[in-house]
Amino acid sequence: MALAICLFVGGFAVGPGVCVWLALSELMPTRIRSNGMSIALLVNQFVSTVIAAMFLPTVGYYGYSAVFFAGAGFSVLYFLTAAFLLPETKGKTLEEIELHFAPAGRAQPG
């Protein structure tokens, strides 16, 4: 059991645990980065608190297996979102990354 928990913590630490903060720091434009990271931290802590508060009542109602299968499903959804909707940032400037999220009619930078 302890080995399984260690593997989970290690897997989370190199995947979803760090990917959120890495994506936020690379994808936010410089002019809003400080406010954006503050809001992101607030939302992240709020969601974590809600999940922690709901975990035991949900396990009591549905059982451990259903809750962990739901968590696995959300992890797959998270992976697909990160793999297919986030742009590659390697070798790109912040302006080029920002254009990925710009509305279609927005002018290209000169």
Side-chain angles (χ1 to χ4, degrees):
M1 182 66 164
L3 177 63
I5 291 173
C6 289
L7 288 173
F8 170 78
V9 170
F12 186 82
V14 298
V18 72
C19 187
V20 170
W21 299 109
L22 182 65
L24 286 173
S25 66
E26 287 194 6
L27 298 178
M28 278 196 202
T30 307
R31 68 183 181 281
I32 64 163
R33 185 170 294 162
S34 60
N35 289 337
M37 291 297 286
S38 299
I39 293 168
L41 178 61
L42 179 69
V43 170
N44 183 282
Q45 291 300 309
F46 176 75
V47 170
S48 295
T49 301
V50 169
I51 290 171
M54 291 176 48
F55 181 76
L56 287 178
T58 306
V59 165
Y61 189 76
Y62 294 106
Y64 281 105
S65 60
V67 172
F68 283 107
F69 276 117
F74 285 122
S75 294
V76 169
L77 182 64
Y78 177 85
F79 171 77
L80 294 173
T81 300
F84 296 110
L85 297 180
L86 293 179
E88 174 61 51
T89 59
K90 183 177 181 180
K92 293 185 179 178
T93 65
L94 287 174
E95 292 78 16
E96 291 171 335
I97 295 168
E98 189 174 352
L99 283 176
H100 177 81
F101 297 105
R106 186 171 169 193
Q108 300 289 328

